[in-house]
Each structure stands twice: as structure tokens, then as C-alpha cells.
Amino acid sequence: MEHTTDKLTAIRSCARRLRLSSLTMNAAEELVKAQTSSPSYDDFLLNILKTEVEGREARQKVLRYKAARLPMDHDLNRYDFSKYKGLSLTQLNQLRELHWVEAGYNIMLAGPSGVGKTYVASGLCADAIEHGYKGYFRTMESIMNTLKTRDATPYARVEYRNLCSAQLIVIDDLMNIIVSREEGNILFAWINSVYESTSFIITTNRSPAEWATTLNDEVLATAILDRLLYKCELIQLSGPSYRMENRKTIFNNIEQNNENR
């Protein structure tokens, strides 16, 4: 028994040094399983490696989700096609196949507030993360803050490197805030440096024609549009505002509490 314990300790020690965390934690269980099922040497080694790969992929997925910073509500299986127009079930399923990411295409979701632009964008980003892509969900304001402070703070430097190496970036509410000409140039420089290697999902409630007003520079707006729309599917969503239809009020709760007393 002591000899077996020594071997188990040695296995765990070697696994730890090789950073095989699943084997480090589950070495005893794997040995018991092998003693019970008596696999071939090939199957035993394959099972060990599969367990390690699956554990590592699961941990990496958790880290990708954490870095993406998705909104809480992003389950596209619950998308209500009866209320919102502009995207059919067939089209959404095709987008969820993610072939457009492999081909380097962008998606632009346009429409008024409350019609599901952010919901669809975050859901597609979640699908990409599930398939192993490195994706991020950021508002335009967040991206601008990163671009402006990337040389000033360690956090911004890391965030900037992450954005530059991403395979998919959601820019939520693009052109929804007024930016100066200098900030517009910074935004253009970044988009120009990554648009050939990164796919974008853009949500906006402004038409591309209005971007020049936001940037206060028609030439700059045209240059940004040229890169984003070069390979892009434009989806115009419409329908009632989800937030207005599901508006919360304190008075219903107060009246209900009074009735229950």
C-alpha cells in the first residue's frame, strides 16, 4: 500500500511539473478506473490524454467567457422572431454556423433601440467562444477609453493587445457617442490595423450616413466605413422596443404587497 502511495505521489508530482492539472487532480480516480475496466495500454494512455485535453479546453472556455464580458442575456435559442423583423430563423442559423468568421466577414446590426441588436450580437459572440474563437464584447466608449489610455496604464495595454489579437470583436453602439477628430483618427488607425484579421459585429442605431456627424469628419467616416463594409452583411432590425414592452415599475409590486397583507 505504501509502495502504491509513493507511485501515486510521484505521478502527481510529474503531472504537476508538466502542468497536467486534470491528471494531477484525478490520478487516483484514473488508476481505479483502469483497474476496474482493464483497458489496453493504448486505451489507458488515450483516456488520460483525452481527460487532460477536455479539462484544459473547459478551463480555456471559462477564461474566454470571462474576458469577453458578455451581457447576461445572450441565449439565441430564445430569440423571438414573432416580434422582431429583419432576421429570419434560417438566416440566424446560418450566422450561428460562423462560416463568416472564417471568411473574415463582418456583421452590422442596425435599427432603433430595443429591437435586439445587442442580444443577437452577444449571442453570436457566445457561439464563437463555444467554438474556440477568441471573442470580445465591448461598447464603443470602452474601446475608445482603451485606445486613448493604452500607453498610460497596464490594464489598457493588456486590453489593447487582447483586442488586437481577437478573432471576433463586438462593438456595441458604434458611433453612439460624439468623438473628437483626434479620437476618430485613433479609432480609424486601430480598425485599419486589425480589420483584415478580425471579424466585427457592429450594433448601431445610426445610419452610416450619420457617422460623419458623430466623427465631425466626413472623410474619416468614409474611410472607417470603407473598411468595415468591405466584406459585411448589413441586417436592419425593426419592431417594438423590448425595454418599453417589459418596462419595470415599482407600483405593481407595492399594490401586490398591500393586497397580500
Side-chain angles (χ1 to χ4, degrees):
M1 181 66 180
E2 184 179 349
H3 184 59
T4 302
T5 303
D6 289 343
K7 283 187 175 181
L8 181 58
T9 302
I11 291 172
R12 284 174 172 158
S13 176
C14 290
R16 190 177 297 109
R17 292 181 64 182
L18 293 171
R19 298 182 180 179
L20 303 176
S21 56
S22 291
L23 181 57
T24 302
M25 293 186 295
N26 303 312
E29 290 80 355
E30 291 295 334
L31 290 173
V32 171
K33 190 189 303 181
Q35 291 170 356
T36 303
S37 58
S38 300
S40 66
Y41 297 131
D42 293 356
D43 287 339
F44 176 68
L45 181 57
L46 181 59
N47 289 336
I48 291 293
L49 294 176
K50 277 185 175 180
T51 299
E52 188 62 41
V53 168
E54 289 169 359
R56 188 165 298 184
E57 288 178 346
R59 291 190 298 275
Q60 289 174 347
K61 184 188 294 186
V62 169
L63 292 176
R64 289 197 303 273
Y65 268 111
K66 183 177 180 179
R69 304 210 303 252
L70 295 172
M72 290 184 63
D73 197 8
H74 55 256
D75 183 2
L76 289 179
N77 292 323
R78 298 192 292 108
Y79 185 74
D80 191 346
F81 294 95
S82 66
K83 285 189 176 181
Y84 306 111
K85 308 303 179 185
L87 186 62
S88 69
L89 175 59
T90 300
Q91 290 172 328
L92 181 59
N93 286 337
Q94 186 175 350
L95 291 177
R96 298 187 74 179
E97 292 290 334
L98 302 173
H99 299 310
W100 54 275
V101 179
E102 286 293 330
Y105 270 79
N106 302 323
I107 305 295
M108 182 177 292
L109 300 166
S113 296
V115 295
K117 302 186 300 297
T118 297
Y119 184 87
V120 173
S122 56
L124 290 175
C125 188
D127 285 346
I129 291 170
E130 285 289 333
H131 283 77
Y133 291 100
K134 186 179 179 183
Y136 296 99
F137 181 99
R138 300 291 187 269
T139 63
M140 181 178 176
E141 183 178 10
S142 172
I143 287 177
M144 290 307 308
N145 286 336
T146 296
L147 296 180
K148 289 187 294 182
T149 61
R150 66 184 184 184
D151 296 324
T153 69
Y155 172 82
R157 281 196 293 271
V158 172
E159 175 77 350
Y160 179 75
R161 286 198 298 269
N162 288 339
L163 292 176
C164 288
S165 64
Q167 295 160 296
L168 175 64
I169 298 175
V170 177
I171 306 181
D172 197 33
D173 292 328
L174 184 65
M175 300 304 169
N176 205 36
I177 58 173
I178 302 295
V179 298
S180 67
R181 184 167 298 182
E182 180 183 357
E183 291 170 336
N185 284 323
I186 293 173
L187 178 64
F188 167 75
W190 173 65
I191 290 176
N192 188 52
S193 68
V194 301
Y195 82 98
E196 291 184 325
S197 59
T198 302
S199 289
F200 289 94
I201 302 178
I202 295 159
T203 75
T204 181
N205 55 20
R206 293 176 179 267
S207 68
E210 296 177 285
W211 289 15
T213 303
T214 302
L215 289 170
N216 202 23
D217 188 324
E218 185 174 351
V219 174
L220 188 58
T222 301
I224 292 176
L225 277 168
D226 181 66
R227 283 149 182 80
L228 293 178
L229 297 181
Y230 169 56
K231 295 169 68 175
C232 182
E233 186 67 36
L234 176 59
I235 300 172
Q236 185 73 39
L237 297 177
S238 61
S241 171
Y242 173 85
R243 297 181 189 88
M244 291 298 99
E245 282 204 336
N246 297 273
R247 186 173 63 87
K248 306 297 183 184
T249 174
I250 62 172
F251 294 110
N252 289 341
N253 292 333
I254 292 174
E255 292 173 0
Q256 186 175 359
N257 288 336
N258 288 336
E259 289 175 0
N260 293 334
R261 287 178 179 176

